[in-house]
Structure formats: structure tokens, C-alpha cells
Amino acid sequence: MPNTEFSSNDTARDERIGRSSVVDEPTGEQRAAITALIDSMRTVSEELGDRFAAHDQQLALVGGPVRDALLGRASNDIDLTTDAVPQRILELVDGWADSVWTVGIEFGTVGLRKRGDQLEITTYRSEAYSPKSRKPEVSYGTDIRDDLLRRDFTVNAMAVRLPSGEFVDPFGGLADLRAKVLRTPGRPEDSFSDDPLRIMRAVRFAAQLDFTLAPEVAEAARDMADRLTIVSAERVRDELTKLLLSPNPRRGIELMVDLGIAEHVLPEIPKMRLEIDEHHRHKDVYEHSLTVLDQAIDLERSRGHEPDLVLRLAALLHDIGKPKTRAFEGGNRVTFHHHEVVGASMSRKRLTALRFPKDVVGQVGHLVALHLRFHGYGKGEWTDSAVRRYARDAGDQLERLHILTRADCTTRNRRKAAALARSYDDIERRIETLAEQEELDRIRPDLDGNEIQEILGVGPGPLVGKAYRFLLELRLEHGPMEKETAERELRSWAADHLER
């Protein structure tokens, strides 16, 4: 492996940069991290780096992998940048790569695989949106500094040349990384105008990396938030998804609301501000929802689950129906009757507009609709049939409903919180016991459709469906029964039904 050299470009910035030149060097630990990163991808750093150099073409590792190495974070990405145009990239990797794909070649990106590694090589470029376009216009360049200038943030505008290992940081990304601040290499107004999605990326990185936004970046994001309307819903959805799956999504959501970004992405969220919740009179619905999101994430982790997009969306959106259902009653009482039904509809509509997959839309809507169901449980007054219905209605969302319902308790009254926790412990134990006894998640009537037709002497039709639902309710009410008992109940029901 070649010796790894580290240097910072101390060339004075253009006037358009508006920042003084900063020379910063990696610490010994960071040097070791970069060396380890290059060593871990020896095939790319040596073979491909030498291949490009032999043909007088530049190649550098860039962006996320470099940033994450300096942060001591693992990264599975191998993003490379070069002065070679896409057709030249294809020529240089021909015979070396195990496989190549060109789905992103329109934007200067060639994807390839080599010995299990997946790489993306992108030509130095600049890209910009016209005022009404949803697609960027791409032009190619020959200078890595110009390529880094068009990157979203300085912490993503660092590179490592291959095969030499030279560290390239013309815009002070390392200093900003140490200060945990997000700045743009150029003016933020130019950056956000070129690609408005960077406004969402700013709040996403703040949540993902626990960074703050530089004042000028926050101001530009606030002033230009409406530019997000020209970005496709799919790209906005992808950034929102990454934000919600980050370690601290609350930070990103708060920034979205404070900077006016949410108005163009999730307008229902800021509308929850100051809408007093009847169960939590010292918290508005917005703050309550963020607390529920935090608590859902804590429970998600304590139960050993991976970050769960559906659960986190449901926690954030579970009370979005409250502003529309708020009513004032006597004694200064505020009510939100049926907000769960309205909220389920609103969440489905919003997530559909953001182009979330149908299963995600349906699951989140289902959880929002059910999130109040448990509050009728009291101190365990439900019968076994009511517990069965609760589990049956939750279906494959039962574990998520358990977490959401527990997280929805944000009262400061410790005695009340403890009582609610005990009650939910009780219902979970009962569901588990019933599930073991009856395989609750696969409850079926004691007679199937063919048996119903044979007993009643009828063919397929509405009557069979009604009989099936009758037997299912019977099963939920009384648990499993013998075939003979089920047949007797069915005949009795049919006699009464057919007489009508």
C-alpha cells in the first residue's frame, strides 16, 4: 500500500465563499482512521487507483465514507469521484469490474461491483435546478476543488486521493466536523437554490450526527423552505425516512418546525402546537407527540428492535387529528372526540402524498386508529373476548401497538404512570397466555367455509360469509369449541336467520 500523506489545501477561497482560509490537519487518531479506511478497501485504493493514474485520470474517495472515518463511524459506502467522463470510466473499469450498471450515468455516475465491494464513481460535476424544474441540470468538470464546492456541506466536501492517500479539504470540513456544525462550502443560498433538497438534508444530518446548523445555513433554510415544493415527493420522502431512522429524530423534527420546513413536508405537525391535550394539560399536543416519539424509540431499543420507520411515524402522527376535532365544553374542558379516526385518515393522506409504500401507509394508519383502544381497559375489567378482539384487531401490528400505547403515557403524575404501566403489563400477559392457548394470531372459526356449506346444504354466497363471521365472533367470545358444539350453534343461528 502506498504511504498515506495528509495535506490541506490552503489556497484562498473565492470571494463567493466568504470565509477565511482555514488550514486544519487530522489528529493522529483521525490519520489512523483514514489509513484504516484505505487499507480496508485495498482492492479499490491500489488496483483501481493505479488503473486510473496510469491513464492520467484522477480518482478520490469522497463524501460520507471520509466523514464517517473521521468521526470513527462505520460506513458501507464507497463513493468515488474522478475527472474522467462516464464513457471514460466505463472504458477504465472494463475487464476489471465484476459487474457494471449505468442506471445513474445520466447524472455522471457509474456503479460497479468488485470482489463483493459495491462502488459508485461519479465524474466531477456541478448541478443546478432551474426555478421550476424537479430535475437537476448536470455539467462535468476537471477540478476536484470545484466538485467539492458543489457538495452540500463542508463535512461532506472532504476527499482522499487514490492511490496516494492525500487528504483534500479545501473548505474547512475537518474544522467544522470537530465543531459539530453544518456549513456549506459556498453561500448557503446558492447551495439550496442549486438543490433545495439540501434543506432537508441539513435537518437530517443534524439529527443523524447531532450537529448544529451554522447561523447562515439556518437563515437560508428558513428563507428558502418553499423551494422544497419543486423537489419530487420521493426524494423528500427518502430524506424524511433517513431523519426518522436517525438516533435523534426529535432534533430534526424540531428544526423542521422552527425553520418553517415542516409546512412544506408535514404541515400537520406545526399545527399541533398549542393545542392543549385533555389528558396532559401542561403540554401542548406538539410537545406531547415529540415525547411519545422519544419514548417509543427508547422502548424500541429496550426490546431489542432495530429502528422502525412505521412505529416512529405512528408515534409522531398519532395525535394529528386533534386540531381538527378540538371542541370546548363546560368548565373550560377541551375535548378531541374521535381524533384517532380523523388522525388515521389524515396520516394515510399525508403519507400517500409523500409516496410512502402502501404497506407503510396502511400500517401507520392502522396504529393511529387503534392507539386509544387500550384506555378502556381500566384495571383489567376487559373480558377474555375483549382481549382477543384487541389482539385480533391489531393483527401483525400488535407489538408496535404495545410500544405505541406505552409510549403515549407522558403524564408527570408518577402514580398514574405506574398504574398505566401495570395495566399494560397485565394485558400483555393476558394476550401472551391466550396466544399460547389458542394461537391467537391465527384465530379462525371452528368450522371452515366448506364445512359451513355442507352443514347448511348451501353453495358459496353471502350466507356463508355471514355464517363465518357469526362463528368467528363466537370463537372470540368463548374461545375454541368442539366441532359438534360449533355445528349446533351454527344450525341454531341458521334456523333463526333463514326464517327471516
Side-chain angles (χ1 to χ4, degrees):
M1 176 181 168
N3 291 330
T4 304
E5 300 176 358
F6 294 83
S7 65
S8 292
N9 187 338
D10 59 358
T11 303
R13 291 172 174 76
D14 301 314
E15 290 184 4
R16 60 179 170 169
I17 303 300
R19 296 176 60 203
S20 60
S21 179
V22 177
V23 178
D24 205 357
E25 293 290 336
T27 63
E29 186 176 343
Q30 289 171 328
R31 289 171 184 260
I34 293 291
T35 301
L37 173 65
I38 298 174
D39 194 49
S40 70
M41 43 179 283
R42 186 182 296 270
T43 298
V44 176
S45 61
E46 292 187 355
E47 294 182 17
L48 193 59
D50 288 341
R51 196 178 185 94
F52 272 64
H55 291 84
D56 295 322
Q57 301 285 180
Q58 302 172 28
L59 185 69
L61 187 66
V62 69
V66 178
R67 177 201 68 222
D68 288 342
L70 292 168
L71 286 172
R73 290 161 43 103
S75 176
N76 296 321
D77 297 328
I78 303 179
D79 294 330
L80 301 159
T81 188
T82 179
D83 60 346
V85 297
Q87 187 57 44
R88 185 61 172 153
I89 296 173
L90 292 173
E91 293 171 0
L92 291 173
V93 302
D94 184 37
W96 181 81
D98 296 332
S99 59
V100 175
W101 54 94
T102 58
V103 66
I105 200 166
E106 178 184 358
F107 301 107
T109 299
V110 173
L112 58 96
R113 187 181 300 278
K114 179 70 173 181
R115 298 175 193 164
D117 288 330
Q118 185 169 313
L119 301 75
E120 286 192 348
I121 308 176
T122 301
T123 304
Y124 296 160
R125 67 186 187 187
S126 61
E127 57 189 36
Y129 284 83
S130 62
K132 296 182 180 180
S133 173
R134 288 177 179 265
K135 291 186 178 181
E137 297 175 0
V138 176
S139 59
Y140 300 132
T142 59
D143 188 332
I144 191 172
R145 186 177 185 279
D146 290 340
D147 180 75
L148 295 177
L149 174 62
R150 65 96 185 169
R151 303 265 165 178
D152 53 5
F153 304 106
T154 60
V155 297
N156 295 328
M158 298 178 286
V160 177
R161 293 186 186 273
L162 301 177
S164 70
E166 177 191 358
F167 179 62
V168 183
D169 178 25
F171 304 112
L174 185 57
D176 288 339
L177 200 69
R178 289 171 177 165
K180 303 184 71 173
V181 63
L182 289 175
R183 300 183 191 275
T184 53
R187 293 188 337 121
E189 295 84 0
D190 296 335
S191 181
F192 294 160
S193 180
D194 287 347
D195 185 356
L197 188 66
R198 291 172 177 173
I199 296 170
M200 278 293 294
R201 286 172 65 83
V203 297
R204 189 254 290 184
F205 277 123
Q208 203 170 50
L209 303 175
D210 193 27
F211 278 27
T212 59
L213 304 187
E216 69 275 13
V217 172
E219 183 179 358
R222 179 182 290 107
D223 292 344
M224 302 177 69
D226 62 348
R227 286 277 289 161
L228 281 167
T229 57
I230 73 165
V231 181
S232 70
E234 290 83 358
R235 295 186 73 208
V236 173
R237 173 205 64 205
D238 290 346
E239 284 300 324
L240 180 61
T241 296
K242 292 174 184 176
L243 187 161
L244 286 169
L245 294 178
S246 71
N248 186 12
R250 178 180 185 139
R251 183 181 185 85
I253 297 298
E254 287 177 329
L255 276 172
M256 286 178 64
V257 172
D258 292 344
L259 298 177
I261 299 168
E263 296 285 352
H264 307 285
V265 179
L266 288 171
E268 297 82 2
I269 302 302
K271 288 179 181 178
M272 292 193 294
R273 273 181 158 174
L274 305 180
E275 301 291 347
I276 304 302
D277 185 323
E278 77 275 24
H279 298 300
H280 313 278
R281 292 188 180 279
H282 299 291
K283 304 181 182 74
D284 63 37
V285 178
Y286 169 70
E287 289 293 335
H288 165 71
S289 297
L290 292 179
T291 301
V292 172
L293 175 61
D294 286 340
Q295 294 185 166
I297 291 171
D298 289 342
L299 287 166
E300 176 188 88
R301 292 169 179 159
S302 68
R303 293 188 175 211
H305 301 318
E306 292 296 316
D308 186 340
L309 177 64
V310 169
L311 174 64
R312 295 181 182 200
L313 280 168
L316 179 63
L317 302 177
H318 76 285
D319 274 349
I320 63 170
K322 282 189 170 179
K324 279 193 173 183
T325 58
R326 183 175 62 164
F328 298 94
E329 298 184 356
N332 294 321
R333 187 167 183 264
V334 182
T335 63
F336 303 94
H337 294 309
H338 306 300
H339 75 269
E340 73 281 12
V341 177
V342 173
S345 176
M346 291 173 64
S347 66
R348 285 191 288 264
K349 182 177 180 180
R350 175 55 53 197
L351 297 181
T352 297
L354 286 168
R355 302 292 193 271
F356 277 94
K358 288 183 179 179
D359 60 336
V360 172
V361 174
Q363 290 164 0
V364 173
H366 191 49
L367 288 168
V368 173
L370 291 178
H371 82 273
L372 283 185
R373 182 76 66 86
F374 166 72
H375 292 289
Y377 187 72
K379 296 182 179 179
E381 290 89 349
W382 281 3
T383 63
D384 282 353
S385 62
V387 174
R388 291 189 189 99
R389 285 190 178 87
Y390 182 79
R392 183 195 68 174
D393 290 347
D396 61 3
Q397 300 305 301
L398 182 60
E399 173 64 6
R400 285 170 171 151
L401 184 60
H402 287 333
I403 295 175
L404 177 60
T405 304
R406 287 180 180 275
D408 196 23
C409 174
T410 61
T411 178
R412 296 176 183 176
N413 185 318
R414 293 184 179 180
R415 183 177 299 177
K416 183 178 179 181
L420 285 169
R422 285 194 299 272
S423 292
Y424 213 87
D425 288 341
D426 185 57
I427 194 174
E428 284 202 61
R429 281 194 298 267
R430 290 177 66 184
I431 289 172
E432 185 176 353
T433 299
L434 288 169
E436 291 173 355
Q437 293 173 347
E438 306 173 21
E439 298 183 355
L440 187 60
D441 56 341
R442 291 180 293 179
I443 283 182
R444 297 290 185 274
D446 296 284
L447 301 172
D448 63 26
N450 291 329
E451 290 171 318
I452 292 171
Q453 292 178 56
E454 183 178 347
I455 292 169
L456 299 183
V458 298
L463 180 64
V464 177
K466 292 178 181 178
Y468 187 92
R469 289 190 290 275
F470 163 73
L471 290 171
L472 179 60
E473 287 298 317
L474 208 62
R475 170 69 181 271
L476 289 168
E477 188 70 30
H478 301 292
M481 60 183 69
E482 299 293 333
K483 291 279 187 182
E484 294 78 5
T485 304
E487 181 177 344
R488 185 169 60 250
E489 293 288 346
L490 175 62
R491 290 186 184 278
S492 176
W493 173 86
D496 182 62
H497 185 79
L498 291 173
E499 284 178 3
R500 296 181 180 180

